[in-house]
Amino acid sequence: MNIKNNINNFFQTLPPHCKLIAVSKTQPVEKIEEAYQAGQRRFGENKVQELVPKYEALPKDIEWHMIGHLQSNKVKYIAPFVHWIHGVDSEKLLTEINKQALKAGRTISCLLQIHIAKEETKFGFSREEALAFIGSNTLPESKNVNVKGLMGMATFTENAEQVRNEFRSLKNLFNEIKTLSLPANVQMEQLSMGMSGDYQIAIDEGSTMIRVGSAIFGERHKP
Ligand SMILES: *Cc1c(COP(=O)(O)O)cnc(C)c1O
């Protein structure tokens, strides 16, 4: 894999409203540095114990995205530096992010994860749960959190039409939420959807953040 070429290809072909999150989980620091030298500044990790040492070792102008399932008891380790948390899937987690962001004197951008796939294993709010959560008092009281949009993962399948329909359902929910009267710290601006196998479909369906790992770095190293 030529990481620099891969990054440059994305830079040349991505529509201007869509950001590339380079998913560097399981990749060594040297590989991240290669992507950094090609100009990439947004990186995504899914494990706190991997994210913290990488943050410490790498340049401080990197924008770190926590993309995986996050346990509330681990938020405190990343709250001092993380920019985006994509997988907010419960009130408990959001409340803890707010608490730790306040302690760190920061505001953290969050995306609500919506369950759009057929697989049971993927995390996230249902449409109804998300609407109820957005209407609750939790968000306006969580002043150190900015909810900037939604995140979703499509079913792992060869069926492109199914993937497209799932992304479309996420975009529809995003548009629906936009029409509501929202707390000051909730804006529907970002739609995080699309990975190495399905980012093209996600871009067609309105993604503003694609999370791409293996198409940049090659196969993942065993954790
Ligand atoms: C690993 C991961 C990705 C990237 O997967 P690739 O198929 O390697 O591009 C994207 N999003 C999440 C949440 C991930 O855990």
Side-chain angles (χ1 to χ4, degrees), residues 23 25 45-46 67-69 86 113 151 153 156 194-197 211-216 218 220:
V23 176
K25 63 190 189 195
E45 291 282 337
N46 72 337
I67 61 167
H69 182 64
H86 289 231
Q113 184 169 357
M151 177 269 208
M153 290 171 83
F156 188 72
M195 312 182 10
S196 293
R211 310 177 310 271
V212 179
S214 40
I216 294 172
R220 268 185 280 286

Side-chain angles (χ1 to χ4, degrees), residues 114-115 124-135 173 176-177:
I114 310 297
H115 188 281
F125 293 103
S126 69
R127 172 184 173 278
E128 291 71 25
E129 289 165 344
L131 290 171
F133 185 49
I134 284 168
L173 179 58
E176 182 181 350
I177 294 170

